[in-house]
Amino acid sequence: MKLTKLFLATALAATSLAQVAGAADLRMSWWGGDSRHKATQAALKACGDKYGHTIAAEFTGWDGHLEKVTTQIAGGTEADIMQINWPWLPLFSINGDGFADLNQYKDVIDLSQWSPEELAAGSMNGKLNGLSVSTTGRVFMFNKTAFEKAGVAIPKTWDELFAAAKQLKEKAGPDAYPMNAVKETAVLLISLYATQNTGKDLVDPAKKKVAWTEDELAKAIDFYGKMVKEGVVVSQKDNAAEGNLNLFESPKWADGRISGSYEWDSTFSKYADPLKGQVLEPVGILKNADAKTEGVYRKPSMVFSISKHSKNPKAAAQIVNCLLNEPEGITALGTSRGLPASKVAAKMLTDAGKIEPQIVAAHDIIMKATGPTVSPLNEHPEIRAVFLDTLEEYAYEQIDSKEAAEQIIEGVNDVLAKF
């Protein structure tokens, strides 16, 4: 009943606003595959018909989309409504003035459907530059079948993870590993450990500098080194020797020799599908008793933004609200962009059985976990490259953890100085 009343109230308010805004010709741009293109076009047709607006669709694949949007924004020719990758917010709007401030349209868009933290994640310099379409985060996933077969309990703490590694090797063989951690996953595991120990994100949002000290980061890198040394994870050198396969393509993952990882909750099915009858289970974030926070890495997977150059921003706001909060848009978009961040959309699709229970469970873990707000600068390409390049040197024993921490902090701060 409450949901019905909410839909009715939203529809009545939006209908009234449509009369004020009048018919408008709008454009919307996004990237994706065929299923997303079809779903979005259907949603734009439904929402456009509802409010008397026409919305021209401008869609591409992922490759080249950033370059296209960059050119359009530089020339002031961008679409009225844009799907923007979350890490692009500081690229286009470091001071918050690169997009329209959606707070100005809170009489059109029901912002109560997002948590304060989600709104903060889409804000730059206090201005709401984008609404999270879906919220994602890193979650631990373990092959329950492989653990049960070996008679080993699924770990709930870091200490239990190290104990599980020893038990698995004793019972399942020396090439059994309870975790995967190479490349981006290794970076984010190190970041997770540092965040848990300090209570801080990588980036200090006020100073635009690395928030961790060299000692704090070196301790986290040492922790990763211990994982490699004690057989918790496959070393980067061994992974390279095996062809640097994606985890979900690896025979070791498919047969349970690697029985856990730390992945995006929205990719759960991609890792569950190769297991062929084995059960993949999402679990709470591993931490030890002295952790200051769970350190959840939670972020918008993408946001919908409105151009600051739009001639009809209220009409664009109506369409954004329809796409994310109203039955017509929710039904048409479905899960084409993951589990919706909007509470009303997530409830509607979950109640309709449109979302797999395991994905809901993984998402619940992410949403309930604690941690500092993650800066989109974490995923700046140059910052991520600094981490990856340095950890490769560390993995091949060219530098130690202290040198790696110093190199990462210096490199990241150099990138942050641009902002």
Side-chain angles (χ1 to χ4, degrees):
M1 180 63 71
K2 290 183 179 179
L3 191 60
T4 302
K5 288 181 178 179
L6 174 59
F7 282 153
L8 182 59
T10 303
L12 288 173
T15 300
S16 174
L17 287 163
Q19 294 171 352
V20 175
D25 291 322
L26 304 170
R27 296 157 52 214
M28 178 172 175
S29 65
W30 71 90
W31 74 85
D34 287 343
S35 60
R36 181 180 294 173
H37 297 334
K38 291 176 182 177
T40 308
Q41 289 178 88
L44 292 177
K45 176 69 165 58
C47 291
D49 288 348
K50 182 173 183 177
Y51 294 112
H53 305 316
T54 57
I55 309 102
E58 300 177 4
F59 51 89
T60 67
W62 168 257
D63 291 342
H65 194 81
L66 173 58
E67 291 77 9
K68 176 184 175 181
V69 173
T70 301
T71 300
Q72 289 180 329
I73 289 178
T77 61
E78 69 271 23
D80 299 271
I81 303 166
M82 291 170 282
Q83 174 181 296
I84 294 293
N85 196 24
W86 179 64
W88 298 350
L89 288 178
L91 301 182
F92 295 128
S93 189
I94 189 63
N95 294 317
D97 56 3
F99 300 101
D101 182 0
L102 300 183
N103 286 314
Q104 296 180 4
Y105 305 103
K106 60 185 178 182
D107 56 336
V108 182
I109 303 173
D110 182 6
L111 299 181
S112 69
Q113 298 304 323
W114 289 266
S115 69
E117 184 187 61
E118 287 172 317
L119 296 176
S123 298
M124 299 298 296
N125 196 29
K127 297 178 181 178
L128 183 56
N129 280 178
L131 276 174
S132 176
V133 181
S134 56
T135 299
T136 189
R138 286 273 171 157
V139 66
F140 286 90
M141 309 173 184
F142 288 106
N143 184 331
K144 183 179 179 182
T145 305
F147 273 85
E148 289 180 346
K149 184 178 179 180
V152 178
I154 290 178
K156 297 180 180 178
T157 68
W158 292 121
D159 290 341
E160 289 178 8
L161 177 66
F162 280 86
K166 294 179 181 178
Q167 295 167 354
L168 284 172
K169 291 183 188 305
E170 290 172 359
K171 298 180 180 181
D175 62 345
Y177 296 86
M179 273 293 294
N180 166 69
V182 293
K183 297 183 179 179
E184 183 187 43
T185 303
V187 170
L188 291 179
L189 277 172
I190 290 170
S191 297
L192 171 63
Y193 194 78
T195 299
Q196 288 181 343
N197 286 338
T198 65
K200 296 178 286 190
D201 178 43
L202 166 68
V203 179
D204 183 319
K207 297 179 180 178
K208 292 293 188 295
K209 287 188 174 183
V210 175
W212 308 326
T213 66
E214 288 182 7
D215 286 344
E216 289 167 342
L217 180 53
K219 181 179 178 181
I221 295 172
D222 279 333
F223 176 74
Y224 168 69
K226 181 183 176 183
M227 294 177 82
V228 174
K229 184 178 180 180
E230 297 193 13
V232 175
V233 301
V234 178
S235 72
Q236 189 162 321
K237 288 189 289 186
D238 289 344
N239 187 70
E242 294 171 4
N244 282 321
L245 294 173
N246 290 317
L247 181 63
F248 56 86
E249 297 173 327
S250 170
K252 288 186 174 181
W253 176 256
D255 63 20
R257 281 176 287 169
I258 296 177
S259 50
S261 195
Y262 178 59
E263 304 292 343
W264 301 114
D265 64 327
S266 55
T267 63
F268 184 89
S269 296
K270 180 166 70 174
Y271 292 93
D273 290 346
L275 297 184
K276 297 178 180 178
Q278 301 173 86
V279 177
L280 188 63
E281 184 173 290
V283 303
I285 296 174
L286 304 190
K287 64 182 181 67
N288 285 336
D290 58 351
K292 295 183 179 180
T293 173
E294 287 175 286
V296 63
Y297 193 94
R298 181 172 51 225
K299 64 164 192 170
S301 57
M302 62 189 71
V303 299
F304 280 175
S305 300
I306 293 177
S307 168
K308 67 177 182 179
H309 299 116
S310 176
K311 295 178 181 178
N312 298 285
K314 275 203 169 183
Q318 286 178 336
I319 298 302
V320 168
N321 191 65
C322 180
L323 292 172
L324 301 180
N325 290 333
E326 297 176 23
E328 295 84 357
I330 294 168
T331 300
L333 288 183
T335 58
S336 60
R337 288 172 172 81
L339 182 62
S342 162
K343 294 172 190 158
V344 67
K347 177 171 176 35
M348 181 177 173
L349 294 179
T350 302
D351 290 349
K354 301 293 185 182
I355 302 171
E356 296 176 48
Q358 297 93 335
I359 294 178
V360 174
H363 190 70
D364 283 347
I365 290 170
I366 293 302
M367 297 308 295
K368 292 176 181 176
T370 61
T373 298
V374 176
S375 167
L377 289 165
N378 278 270
E379 297 187 16
H380 188 286
E382 293 179 46
I383 289 177
R384 187 55 54 84
V386 168
F387 264 95
L388 291 171
D389 292 347
T390 303
L391 288 182
E392 184 172 359
E393 292 182 57
Y394 174 76
Y396 283 86
E397 300 177 353
Q398 296 172 354
I399 55 177
D400 61 23
S401 62
K402 184 176 180 181
E403 292 169 320
E406 181 180 355
Q407 187 168 306
I408 288 171
I409 290 174
E410 181 179 353
V412 172
N413 280 338
D414 284 346
V415 178
L416 293 175
K418 300 175 184 179
F419 297 94

